[in-house]
């Protein structure tokens, strides 16, 4: 089974990934990079892509990421063979 990775990514207003250094306000530290600033966070699953809608505060994205991770654990536990299946 492939490893599933769930991350929280900062996003620009147009939902593209923001990889620039930003101030606590979300504005870019270097005004010459052309970054419009970070305005939201997205929960990204390596298997499903973006999960749910954008979150405007990172602390609100963390429970959504944890919930999606738990859904994967539950699905994996349901498909795991038991000792009685191999007999």
């Amino acid at each position: 089974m492939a490893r599933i990775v769930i991350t929280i990514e900062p996003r620009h207003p147009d939902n593209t990934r923001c990889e620039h250094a930003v101030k606590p306000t979300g504005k870019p530290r270097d005004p010459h990079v052309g970054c419009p600033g970070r305005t939201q966070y997205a929960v990204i699953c390596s298997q499903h892509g973006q999960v749910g809608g954008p979150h405007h505060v990172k602390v609100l994205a963390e429970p959504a990421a944890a919930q999606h991770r738990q859904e994967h654990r539950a699905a994996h536990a349901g498909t795991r063979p038991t000792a009685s299946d191999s007999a």
Side-chain angles (χ1 to χ4, degrees):
M1 178 175 194
R3 181 177 175 165
I4 297 170
V5 179
I6 299 169
T7 59
I8 298 173
E9 294 182 353
R11 297 294 178 108
H12 295 127
D14 64 356
N15 204 29
T16 57
R17 186 175 184 177
C18 180
E19 298 177 349
H20 308 97
V22 294
K23 297 176 185 177
T25 61
K27 303 272 187 215
R29 290 199 183 272
D30 181 2
H32 304 294
V33 296
C35 174
R38 177 190 62 220
T39 60
Q40 58 193 358
Y41 293 89
V43 177
I44 306 296
C45 173
S46 61
Q47 184 176 15
H48 298 115
Q50 186 169 338
V51 179
H55 302 273
H56 297 290
V57 182
K58 187 175 183 180
V59 72
L60 296 178
E62 291 168 352
Q67 179 183 357
H68 189 71
R69 190 174 294 112
Q70 188 60 35
E71 290 170 4
H72 277 286
R73 286 183 184 136
H76 179 67
T79 61
R80 191 177 302 162
T82 62
S84 63
D85 291 341
S86 60

